[in-house]
Amino acid sequence: MPTVIVPPIKSQGIKTKLVPWINDLVLSAGVDFNARWIEPFFGTGVVGFNSPMHGTHIVGDSNPHIINFYQGIQRGEITPDTMRAYLSEASRKLSESEENGYAYFRFIRDRFNFEHSPYDFIFLSRAGFNGMMRFNRHGDWNIPFCKKPDRFAPAYITKICNQIHHIAHIIRQKEWEFNNVDFIQTIERAKPGDIIYCDPPYFGRYVDYYNGWTEQNEVELFEALSRTPAKFILSTWHHNDYRSNEMIQRYWGQFNITTKDHFYHNGGNIENRHSVVEALVFNFDLQEKQQIKSIRQLELFEEIA
Ligand SMILES: C[S@@+](CC[C@H](N)C(=O)[O-])C[C@H]1O[C@@H](n2cnc3c(N)ncnc32)[C@H](O)[C@@H]1O
């Protein structure tokens, strides 16, 4: 199995460990390798950046900071070198800061809430408690400090810079469109032959990414995916030890579903940190699984591994 390329942003609900499972289904969808990849809830981007498709990747998220960050990499403005310079200075200031780093964390958080710098966004994403991302209703960063004044040790900075290097490589290799739009606008771009991957906030579980997620949103998503001419895969949760996802019975049960046990290591509350049965809902008949056969794709995985 090729290595999964991990992006520099952290967030609860990140699908890193589920990428091979999702890609197996993508490769069984019977779509051409030149198909366009449509991803309306991009998040950290770990699924899209590891997609086996070569066509244009049209991705969106309602969180402007995610989109702004990846657009900065795409324009060549955010590079491993610029990030290293930023994080090296931040590391020094954080470790020298009063209140065990908290004073500097607060300074960056307040500056980010005012100026929205993508560098400060990465700082907060990597220095926040438990790798979580949450904003309050004014759109301000709402996760406390991880309480580690030595968070940005040299090896950790190198790891983040390498992640930026890998993502920049993938963005150069394929055609990418990063859009700060509502999911409906992204799904409506899909045409026959495209493949859509959706990973919305999980109804009744995570409601704290950038904006909330209601049953009305779930219905709008269900209607948009029901009328799309493209093939789609939707991630959702099926059940956990406490309860089942009512949305499956009410809406998604009319499509095909496959499930897998999964453990989320980070989340806001204890239920979200327990194991859950994940579901992939899809609207196509399974075909024989294709092998990733693009030389370029394999070279990339080998270079990064
Ligand atoms: C579960 S996360 C996606 C996680 C991603 N697959 C990953 O592995 O990192 C859901 C994402 O949907 C975004 N989102 C929430 N409501 C949205 C909406 N109405 N339109 C577009 N994106 C939305 C959130 O900002 C968040 O990034």
Side-chain angles (χ1 to χ4, degrees):
M1 181 51 67
T3 311
V4 173
I5 294 148
V6 180
I9 299 174
K10 274 185 176 282
S11 172
Q12 65 277 28
I14 188 168
K15 288 287 187 292
T16 315
K17 295 246 165 62
L18 294 170
V19 163
W21 181 51
I22 296 166
N23 272 350
D24 273 356
L25 189 56
V26 171
L27 292 167
S28 306
V31 283
D32 192 276
F33 275 114
N34 290 319
R36 299 191 309 171
W37 177 268
I38 314 276
E39 189 173 346
F41 305 92
F42 197 53
T44 66
V46 71
V47 182
F49 288 130
N50 286 283
S51 103
M53 296 299 140
H54 307 157
T56 305
H57 283 49
I58 299 172
V59 304
D61 201 286
S62 57
N63 181 335
H65 310 299
I66 290 174
I67 298 303
N68 191 26
F69 176 70
Y70 287 129
Q71 285 174 338
I73 295 183
Q74 188 176 38
R75 286 192 299 263
E77 290 164 12
I78 300 172
T79 67
D81 288 347
T82 62
M83 186 57 77
R84 182 177 294 283
Y86 168 88
L87 289 178
S88 301
E89 186 187 340
S91 169
R92 188 174 47 77
K93 291 189 171 162
L94 186 68
S95 59
E96 290 169 359
S97 149
E98 289 169 13
E99 300 168 63
N100 252 340
Y102 188 67
Y104 190 67
F105 177 85
R106 215 166 37 224
F107 167 76
I108 296 289
R109 185 198 59 197
D110 294 349
R111 184 170 75 182
F112 170 76
N113 288 339
F114 191 65
E115 293 176 0
H116 302 145
S117 150
Y119 293 95
D120 290 343
F121 176 57
I122 290 299
F123 175 95
L124 293 171
S125 170
R126 306 300 294 230
F129 175 72
N130 217 359
M132 290 181 60
M133 187 185 311
R134 186 176 61 213
F135 298 83
N136 65 21
R137 60 197 166 86
H138 304 295
D140 290 343
W141 183 264
N142 200 18
I143 292 290
F145 182 37
C146 64
K147 295 191 177 152
K148 293 178 188 147
D150 296 323
R151 180 64 170 145
F152 294 100
Y156 196 59
I157 294 180
T158 296
K159 183 175 171 182
I160 297 169
C161 294
N162 284 343
Q163 289 168 338
I164 291 179
H165 171 71
H166 297 155
I167 296 304
H169 188 117
I170 296 173
I171 292 177
R172 274 196 307 274
Q173 246 203 0
K174 301 176 183 176
E175 216 166 283
W176 286 84
E177 249 189 56
F178 298 97
N179 301 311
N180 178 215
V181 292
D182 190 67
F183 68 94
I184 293 286
Q185 284 184 59
T186 306
I187 293 176
E188 280 175 354
R189 301 273 305 273
K191 297 195 280 220
D194 295 343
I195 179 120
I196 305 174
Y197 171 68
C198 285
D199 185 16
Y202 285 3
F203 180 77
R205 286 175 59 84
Y206 295 107
V207 285
D208 41 26
Y209 290 94
Y210 194 75
N211 34 23
W213 187 258
T214 62
E215 183 160 357
Q216 183 55 33
N217 294 130
E218 192 97 4
V219 171
E220 283 163 14
L221 177 61
F222 170 75
E223 287 171 353
L225 291 179
S226 297
R227 62 175 182 259
T228 185
K231 293 189 173 167
F232 79 77
I233 297 174
L234 165 85
S235 276
T236 187
W237 65 289
H238 195 274
H239 65 273
N240 62 14
D241 290 346
Y242 307 94
R243 57 209 171 93
S244 298
N245 180 2
E246 311 141 62
M247 300 299 116
I248 300 244
Q249 236 182 354
R250 256 181 247 168
Y251 307 107
W252 304 112
Q254 62 173 274
F255 296 106
N256 300 320
I257 300 183
T258 177
T259 59
K260 186 183 179 65
D261 285 342
H262 183 59
F263 190 94
Y264 283 101
H265 290 272
N266 44 9
N269 63 44
I270 198 73
E271 184 184 348
N272 289 349
R273 268 180 266 134
H274 268 88
S275 63
V276 64
V277 175
E278 281 280 318
L280 292 176
V281 177
F282 54 102
N283 67 342
F284 47 85
D285 293 331
L286 291 176
Q287 313 283 314
E288 193 181 331
K289 188 182 150 195
Q290 303 178 76
Q291 296 302 318
I292 298 180
K293 53 181 176 228
S294 144
I295 304 288
R296 279 191 323 172
Q297 186 87 3
L298 288 173
E299 273 173 0
L300 174 65
F301 283 130
E302 272 161 20
E303 186 203 315
I304 285 167

